[in-house]
PDB file of all heavy atoms in Angstrom:
ATOM      1  N   HIS A 105    -101.649 132.343 -29.262  1.00 89.00           N
ATOM      2  CA  HIS A 105    -102.465 133.453 -28.762  1.00 89.00           C
ATOM      3  C   HIS A 105    -103.750 133.563 -29.563  1.00 89.00           C
ATOM      4  O   HIS A 105    -104.074 134.603 -30.126  1.00 89.00           O
ATOM      5  CB  HIS A 105    -101.662 134.740 -28.723  1.00 89.00           C
ATOM      6  CG  HIS A 105    -100.606 134.658 -27.675  1.00 89.00           C
ATOM      7  ND1 HIS A 105    -100.849 134.936 -26.359  1.00 89.00           N
ATOM      8  CD2 HIS A 105     -99.348 134.198 -27.729  1.00 89.00           C
ATOM      9  CE1 HIS A 105     -99.766 134.686 -25.652  1.00 89.00           C
ATOM     10  NE2 HIS A 105     -98.841 134.232 -26.457  1.00 89.00           N
ATOM     11  N   ASP A 106    -104.439 132.445 -29.601  1.00 92.00           N
ATOM     12  CA  ASP A 106    -105.784 132.355 -30.158  1.00 92.00           C
ATOM     13  C   ASP A 106    -105.855 132.461 -31.676  1.00 92.00           C
ATOM     14  O   ASP A 106    -106.929 132.328 -32.239  1.00 92.00           O
ATOM     15  CB  ASP A 106    -106.716 133.439 -29.576  1.00 92.00           C
ATOM     16  CG  ASP A 106    -107.064 133.172 -28.124  1.00 92.00           C
ATOM     17  OD1 ASP A 106    -106.679 132.096 -27.611  1.00 92.00           O
ATOM     18  OD2 ASP A 106    -107.722 134.030 -27.511  1.00 92.00           O
ATOM     19  N   LYS A 107    -104.746 132.724 -32.325  1.00 95.00           N
ATOM     20  CA  LYS A 107    -104.807 132.926 -33.771  1.00 95.00           C
ATOM     21  C   LYS A 107    -103.671 132.189 -34.467  1.00 95.00           C
ATOM     22  O   LYS A 107    -102.595 131.998 -33.921  1.00 95.00           O
ATOM     23  CB  LYS A 107    -104.691 134.421 -34.098  1.00 95.00           C
ATOM     24  CG  LYS A 107    -105.779 135.292 -33.481  1.00 95.00           C
ATOM     25  CD  LYS A 107    -107.127 135.042 -34.130  1.00 95.00           C
ATOM     26  CE  LYS A 107    -108.202 135.908 -33.475  1.00 95.00           C
ATOM     27  NZ  LYS A 107    -109.546 135.641 -34.045  1.00 95.00           N
ATOM     28  N   ARG A 108    -103.938 131.828 -35.708  1.00 97.00           N
ATOM     29  CA  ARG A 108    -102.878 131.189 -36.501  1.00 97.00           C
ATOM     30  C   ARG A 108    -102.003 132.222 -37.200  1.00 97.00           C
ATOM     31  O   ARG A 108    -100.917 131.890 -37.673  1.00 97.00           O
ATOM     32  CB  ARG A 108    -103.498 130.259 -37.553  1.00 97.00           C
ATOM     33  CG  ARG A 108    -104.249 129.106 -36.921  1.00 97.00           C
ATOM     34  CD  ARG A 108    -104.836 128.162 -37.959  1.00 97.00           C
ATOM     35  NE  ARG A 108    -105.837 127.301 -37.330  1.00 97.00           N
ATOM     36  CZ  ARG A 108    -105.560 126.218 -36.631  1.00 97.00           C
ATOM     37  NH1 ARG A 108    -104.317 125.845 -36.481  1.00 97.00           N
ATOM     38  NH2 ARG A 108    -106.516 125.521 -36.069  1.00 97.00           N
ATOM     39  N   MET A 109    -102.518 133.425 -37.298  1.00 98.00           N
ATOM     40  CA  MET A 109    -101.738 134.467 -37.973  1.00 98.00           C
ATOM     41  C   MET A 109    -102.016 135.814 -37.327  1.00 98.00           C
ATOM     42  O   MET A 109    -103.173 136.188 -37.134  1.00 98.00           O
ATOM     43  CB  MET A 109    -102.102 134.529 -39.468  1.00 98.00           C
ATOM     44  CG  MET A 109    -101.353 135.578 -40.271  1.00 98.00           C
ATOM     45  SD  MET A 109     -99.554 135.309 -40.351  1.00 98.00           S
ATOM     46  CE  MET A 109     -99.493 133.793 -41.357  1.00 98.00           C
ATOM     47  N   HIS A 110    -100.951 136.469 -36.967  1.00 97.00           N
ATOM     48  CA  HIS A 110    -101.051 137.844 -36.477  1.00 97.00           C
ATOM     49  C   HIS A 110    -100.357 138.735 -37.492  1.00 97.00           C
ATOM     50  O   HIS A 110     -99.196 138.510 -37.824  1.00 97.00           O
ATOM     51  CB  HIS A 110    -100.374 137.997 -35.113  1.00 97.00           C
ATOM     52  CG  HIS A 110    -100.938 137.081 -34.063  1.00 97.00           C
ATOM     53  ND1 HIS A 110    -101.874 137.501 -33.139  1.00 97.00           N
ATOM     54  CD2 HIS A 110    -100.712 135.772 -33.799  1.00 97.00           C
ATOM     55  CE1 HIS A 110    -102.186 136.472 -32.340  1.00 97.00           C
ATOM     56  NE2 HIS A 110    -101.495 135.413 -32.729  1.00 97.00           N
ATOM     57  N   LEU A 111    -101.073 139.712 -37.975  1.00 98.00           N
ATOM     58  CA  LEU A 111    -100.482 140.657 -38.918  1.00 98.00           C
ATOM     59  C   LEU A 111    -100.397 142.025 -38.253  1.00 98.00           C
ATOM     60  O   LEU A 111    -101.406 142.580 -37.825  1.00 98.00           O
ATOM     61  CB  LEU A 111    -101.334 140.750 -40.194  1.00 98.00           C
ATOM     62  CG  LEU A 111    -100.826 141.757 -41.234  1.00 98.00           C
ATOM     63  CD1 LEU A 111     -99.535 141.258 -41.888  1.00 98.00           C
ATOM     64  CD2 LEU A 111    -101.889 142.020 -42.305  1.00 98.00           C
ATOM     65  N   ILE A 112     -99.194 142.495 -38.136  1.00 98.00           N
ATOM     66  CA  ILE A 112     -98.962 143.803 -37.523  1.00 98.00           C
ATOM     67  C   ILE A 112     -98.392 144.708 -38.602  1.00 98.00           C
ATOM     68  O   ILE A 112     -97.502 144.310 -39.354  1.00 98.00           O
ATOM     69  CB  ILE A 112     -97.991 143.689 -36.328  1.00 98.00           C
ATOM     70  CG1 ILE A 112     -98.705 143.055 -35.119  1.00 98.00           C
ATOM     71  CG2 ILE A 112     -97.442 145.053 -35.925  1.00 98.00           C
ATOM     72  CD1 ILE A 112     -98.709 141.584 -35.068  1.00 98.00           C
ATOM     73  N   VAL A 113     -98.903 145.909 -38.674  1.00 98.00           N
ATOM     74  CA  VAL A 113     -98.354 146.860 -39.647  1.00 98.00           C
ATOM     75  C   VAL A 113     -98.056 148.173 -38.943  1.00 98.00           C
ATOM     76  O   VAL A 113     -98.708 148.551 -37.973  1.00 98.00           O
ATOM     77  CB  VAL A 113     -99.322 147.121 -40.831  1.00 98.00           C
ATOM     78  CG1 VAL A 113     -99.630 145.824 -41.572  1.00 98.00           C
ATOM     79  CG2 VAL A 113    -100.588 147.813 -40.380  1.00 98.00           C
ATOM     80  N   ALA A 114     -97.046 148.841 -39.454  1.00 97.00           N
ATOM     81  CA  ALA A 114     -96.728 150.197 -39.002  1.00 97.00           C
ATOM     82  C   ALA A 114     -95.989 150.889 -40.128  1.00 97.00           C
ATOM     83  O   ALA A 114     -95.276 150.244 -40.900  1.00 97.00           O
ATOM     84  CB  ALA A 114     -95.865 150.181 -37.745  1.00 97.00           C
TER      85      ALA A 114
END
Side-chain angles (χ1 to χ4, degrees):
H105 291 276
D106 289 354
K107 301 290 179 183
R108 296 181 196 279
M109 180 63 68
H110 302 262
L111 178 71
I112 286 86
V113 301

